[in-house]
Amino acid sequence: MEHDAYCMFENLMNGLMNGAQGVVAITDFYSLSPASESSTGLTPVREASAAIYHLLASVDSSLHSHLVELGVEPQYFALRWLRVLFGREFTLDNLLFIWDEIFSSPNHSYCTDIKNRGDYQFKVLCSPRGALILSMAVSMMLHLRSSLLGSEHATSCLVRLLNFPQDIDLKNLIEKAKLLQSLALEANLPLSPLTGKSPLTPPNYWEETWKMLQMSGDKRSGGSTVRIKGRGFLRRSVSDTESNVSRTKGANVDNSNSTSTSQPEPIIDELNTTDIVPVKLINSLPTMPIVHQKDCVGQGTAEIVRSTSNSLCEAGPHDGYRTTSAKIRDRIDGAREYLSRNRPPSFRRRTDHDHDTRHEEEPCVSHGAKVVNEPDPLSVHNDKTDEPCQSDGKTDESAITDQTFESVDCQPNQEHSICSDVGPSLKVADKELVGTLRSFGESMVENIQGY
Amino acid sequence: MASRRRTLLKVIILGDSGVGKTSLMNQYVNKKFSNQYKATIGADFLTKEVQFEDRLFTLQIWDTAGQERFQSLGVAFYRGADCCVLVYDVNSMKSFDNLNNWREEFLIQASPSDPDNFPFVLLGNKVDVDGGNSRVVSEKKAKAWCASKGNIPYFETSAKDGINVEEAFQCIVKNALKNEPEEELYMPDTVDVVGGNRGQGSSGCC
């Protein structure tokens, strides 16, 4: 008994998982020197604290900016949260439930591709366990959201954060954390949209996939060139993407749970899952005036180049969480509502975002290569989302960037390899799926109308 | 005349682990003492409303873990400090010897504009233990150290029995205010007043 307890303790502290070195080792949280993989120069616990804010910014930008403005730095409270894994914040009874979740979450890197520093932003977020730990922290912060936002002084915020209430709905807290977990894994990917340069993925792969989908799908007339204008528009469509991504990531995680190295299978899974999107979009909301799309063919290219170069900088390993979070803040603003509403992603997407995204897509279809899509520099996950339109845009964009920035090499990227691994083989599957997916989309429409 | 506005005073307690930093803070704020040792993790703080010379302040007392090293909390944490309280255990020579390190490291991190005059207060805690028989650091020695560092105020305290705790924190407030620029107290009644106070600024205080 004592022996077992010690062994478990040791494994936890050293981050061992079935004898293999995992991502999260609690001893790191006590380390005084920066982790070797760190480029921020922060100690691991500081970096993990920063990752908490990074994640917070992506799900609740207003709370994040509120805390930042007040000067409430995450390590002031997260040191304790992380070092004893919330052991001081909950009663033992509650704590055991939380630890159950944390310890049952795998601690290996969720993608073996993640070797290079450029492939992720925070090391601690590279395993589902690390992601869950930080998600738990964010979930706790969201639980205090209104009182934190109501506090005008750092002191009162800290009082609340350092004295976490005991009378909590633990289930809800954990559920929220688990929802955030997939988002956390996602938010860890580099911000570069320049990801389509895998040797195995033809640059126009998504374009063609989309065309195929389009042809077999119903007619699409549409504006000439898509460009998402207006923040709200962008934000909403992006958050749509986000929930989508979360879902696929979730699938990925699930898969890695069983296979322990998530390579091709989970990826296919992901793509299949996300291929639902276009069909759903095609079939979903009937009409919606196309307002935003006309402008900016001209400025399009310039903007793309600009934003692409921006994102090149952003994706650099040196950016701190502040920069990135600021970007992400806008991007995923909507996800916060989603989380607080606690609805299944599909529901939300159907109700809120379909029309937006659909617009993006229409022109993609009819104007293949000319499409200038929003080169969302904020997007962490263009490839991952696998939403044809997004990826389509990305392809064009990288083509443009190729010309302009030939000297600039894009970051090595996990996302690439995901596409590359499955790209060609999927085309067939795509076709076959279309039928099924369309009916799926139709049933979604019915659901919507039911509301 | 004017209504007094509350001002925040930030006090940071430093010292080796186990010297009684948390207990001192708890005794002062909550008038409670527990024999059970529970290591502070990272940092924790308590606030207390204090009145000093007719003015009302919120004292924010940051209790840091003795094992903690400065880089974990970041410089912003120390920079805002109005007073730094150094604590040692009169029954532990090592905790006394380490005072130099704590002080120097604090000055590096907080980088106050006038390091020589930054307000420190030294507390020799646990004077109650064993009726004073296990004491290894004499009052004389402690006072000599304080003198060598620019006449740091010194108190011998017992968090357990509440000896000198109130007095020590009164002094801490007083010293924290030395560094406090006046302007925060007088929010603009008239423009003139504000301007006048700003003009006196630092010279008036020190």
Side-chain angles (χ1 to χ4, degrees):
Chain A
M1 178 70 184
E2 199 176 320
H3 170 261
D4 288 351
Y6 178 76
C7 286
M8 285 157 70
F9 176 70
E10 195 186 18
N11 283 355
L12 169 67
M13 295 305 280
N14 295 326
L16 297 178
M17 186 107 183
N18 300 325
Q21 181 63 50
V23 173
V24 181
I26 305 298
T27 43
D28 285 349
F29 291 152
Y30 292 86
S31 164
L32 295 177
S33 48
S36 50
E37 307 90 344
S38 165
S39 63
T40 54
L42 295 173
T43 60
V45 73
R46 284 283 301 278
E47 203 166 84
S49 305
I52 291 177
Y53 265 23
H54 176 76
L55 182 58
L56 178 68
S58 65
V59 296
D60 191 337
S61 60
S62 48
L63 180 57
H64 172 260
S65 44
H66 179 71
L67 293 174
V68 168
E69 272 163 29
L70 292 182
V72 179
E73 297 194 9
Q75 67 271 16
Y76 296 171
F77 53 90
L79 277 186
R80 190 169 76 198
W81 291 11
L82 294 172
R83 282 184 176 168
V84 291
L85 282 181
F86 313 107
R88 287 279 173 91
E89 322 305 319
F90 298 95
T91 61
L92 184 61
D93 288 348
N94 283 345
L95 184 63
L96 293 179
F97 284 106
I98 295 168
W99 281 2
D100 268 354
E101 294 292 343
I102 291 175
F103 298 152
S104 64
S105 214
N107 194 24
H108 51 72
S109 192
Y110 62 86
C111 181
T112 47
D113 283 348
I114 298 199
K115 287 262 164 56
N116 301 316
R117 183 56 187 87
D119 291 345
Y120 57 87
Q121 298 192 38
F122 297 101
K123 185 197 166 208
V124 67
L125 280 175
C126 285
S127 80
R129 181 181 297 178
L132 182 61
I133 293 170
L134 300 199
S135 301
M136 188 67 206
V138 172
S139 176
M140 289 164 68
M141 297 178 75
L142 292 176
H143 178 77
L144 300 171
R145 182 172 196 272
S146 51
S147 60
L148 291 176
L149 283 175
S151 304
E152 287 175 23
H153 303 284
T155 310
S156 33
C157 285
L158 284 165
V159 166
R160 295 176 200 284
L161 288 164
L162 285 166
N163 299 282
F164 198 75
Q166 296 295 325
D167 55 332
I168 38 142
D169 180 354
L170 189 73
K171 252 191 184 155
N172 195 339
L173 206 65
I174 292 176
E175 281 312 307
K176 213 175 252 186
K178 285 161 94 176
L179 269 174
L180 284 160
Q181 183 184 25
S182 46
L183 190 66
L185 290 167
E186 184 55 41
N188 192 34
L189 297 176
L191 293 182
S192 171
L194 283 182
T195 48
K197 290 193 179 174
S198 156
L200 289 175
T201 313
N204 54 351
Y205 165 68
W206 286 112
E207 199 177 302
E208 286 178 358
T209 309
W210 176 239
K211 274 182 188 163
M212 259 187 288
L213 275 173
Q214 172 56 27
M215 286 190 291
S216 46
D218 30 18
K219 45 60 260 246
R220 227 47 357 186
S221 63
S224 49
T225 307
V226 184
R227 173 114 176 111
I228 313 164
K229 268 281 189 161
R231 302 205 106 206
F233 192 88
L234 170 62
R235 198 178 289 167
R236 282 197 289 165
S237 58
V238 162
S239 66
D240 177 30
T241 313
E242 190 62 35
S243 51
N244 178 19
V245 165
S246 312
R247 237 176 23 143
T248 53
K249 279 311 258 184
N252 191 10
V253 172
D254 288 343
N255 248 300
S256 52
N257 281 350
S258 49
T259 56
S260 106
T261 40
S262 51
Q263 274 304 308
E265 305 94 359
I267 289 157
I268 290 176
D269 240 14
E270 257 183 280
L271 294 179
N272 286 343
T273 321
T274 43
D275 279 340
I276 291 170
V277 175
V279 180
K280 173 212 68 175
L281 293 166
I282 291 170
N283 291 310
S284 54
L285 285 179
T287 42
M288 177 78 185
I290 300 170
V291 185
H292 301 281
Q293 307 163 355
K294 298 273 178 162
D295 30 11
C296 59
V297 191
Q299 39 168 287
T301 315
E303 285 197 24
I304 284 174
V305 171
R306 183 155 40 83
S307 55
T308 319
S309 56
N310 277 346
S311 40
L312 269 176
C313 307
E314 283 163 27
H318 294 293
D319 53 356
Y321 77 93
R322 272 170 207 274
T323 342
T324 52
S325 59
K327 302 286 180 189
I328 289 196
R329 194 183 307 163
D330 285 334
R331 181 167 64 88
I332 323 182
D333 208 14
R336 179 187 69 232
E337 301 160 41
Y338 153 62
L339 284 165
S340 45
R341 284 194 215 164
N342 223 348
R343 287 193 204 152
S346 55
F347 177 80
R348 173 166 176 90
R349 282 163 44 221
R350 277 178 316 194
T351 49
D352 289 343
H353 299 313
D354 273 3
H355 40 284
D356 292 347
T357 324
R358 194 171 65 96
H359 283 318
E360 293 171 46
E361 286 174 3
E362 289 175 9
C364 292
V365 179
S366 43
H367 291 266
K370 275 194 173 177
V371 169
V372 182
N373 219 337
E374 169 67 50
D376 182 4
L378 319 174
S379 177
V380 183
H381 44 63
N382 272 348
D383 295 52
K384 268 285 172 59
T385 64
D386 306 320
E387 210 169 307
C389 178
Q390 286 259 359
S391 320
D392 198 312
K394 178 223 66 198
T395 319
D396 293 333
E397 178 191 319
S398 33
I400 292 168
T401 329
D402 275 345
Q403 298 159 7
T404 327
F405 283 100
E406 269 175 359
S407 55
V408 187
D409 212 4
C410 73
Q411 302 268 328
N413 203 308
Q414 172 224 3
E415 296 170 9
H416 278 314
S417 39
I418 286 181
C419 288
S420 60
D421 285 344
V422 261
S425 66
L426 252 173
K427 288 186 180 178
V428 184
D430 287 349
K431 277 182 180 169
E432 289 169 354
L433 267 174
V434 168
T436 333
L437 297 179
R438 189 179 313 137
S439 56
F440 180 66
E442 278 159 4
S443 72
M444 283 175 142
V445 177
E446 282 163 23
N447 274 333
I448 294 171
Q449 288 163 348
Y451 272 85
Chain B
M1 52 160 205
S3 64
R4 306 297 187 186
R5 281 179 169 74
R6 276 192 297 177
T7 304
L8 185 75
L9 294 180
K10 182 171 173 180
V11 172
I12 292 175
I13 309 181
L14 298 176
D16 279 10
S17 64
V19 298
K21 298 179 292 296
T22 307
S23 295
L24 281 166
M25 178 176 82
N26 251 323
Q27 176 62 256
Y28 174 61
V29 176
N30 299 323
K31 305 274 179 275
K32 276 182 190 154
F33 177 82
S34 163
N35 261 317
Q36 217 172 15
Y37 177 68
K38 194 176 170 190
T40 306
I41 302 168
D44 204 349
F45 79 101
L46 291 175
T47 58
K48 183 171 169 122
E49 302 286 318
V50 290
Q51 202 166 356
F52 186 80
E53 290 176 353
D54 276 354
R55 300 190 320 229
L56 200 55
F57 300 97
T58 303
L59 196 58
Q60 184 188 75
I61 309 167
W62 275 99
D63 169 35
T64 58
Q67 299 91 339
E68 199 54 74
R69 289 302 170 263
F70 287 86
Q71 57 264 47
S72 297
L73 287 163
V75 286
F77 179 80
Y78 300 94
R79 290 224 166 117
D82 296 299
C83 178
C84 177
V85 182
L86 301 171
V87 184
Y88 77 100
D89 175 357
V90 295
N91 308 291
S92 155
M93 186 56 83
K94 187 165 168 285
S95 72
F96 180 77
D97 290 339
N98 278 332
L99 289 174
N100 271 325
N101 297 337
W102 286 112
R103 181 178 170 276
E104 277 161 27
E105 191 62 33
F106 175 84
L107 287 174
I108 291 171
Q109 297 289 332
S111 53
S113 51
D114 185 5
D116 294 335
N117 290 310
F118 185 87
F120 285 93
V121 173
L122 179 66
L123 307 183
N125 194 32
K126 303 197 187 182
V127 291
D128 61 281
V129 172
D130 204 10
N133 290 325
S134 57
R135 179 171 185 144
V136 293
V137 182
S138 67
E139 186 172 0
K140 193 177 156 198
K141 190 169 179 178
K143 283 189 167 164
W145 185 83
C146 288
S148 75
K149 303 297 175 193
N151 286 321
I152 294 177
Y154 174 63
F155 293 87
E156 304 221 316
T157 60
S158 162
K160 185 180 180 184
D161 298 339
I163 299 170
N164 254 348
V165 175
E166 189 66 38
E167 293 82 347
F169 276 92
Q170 281 294 326
C171 175
I172 289 164
V173 172
K174 195 176 90 188
N175 279 276
L177 280 168
K178 274 192 197 168
N179 237 22
E180 186 74 359
E182 297 276 306
E183 66 225 53
E184 278 193 66
L185 294 176
Y186 302 96
M187 296 307 260
D189 275 333
T190 69
V191 178
D192 283 329
V193 172
V194 175
N197 278 325
R198 287 222 174 110
Q200 293 179 342
S202 53
S203 65
C205 294
C206 311

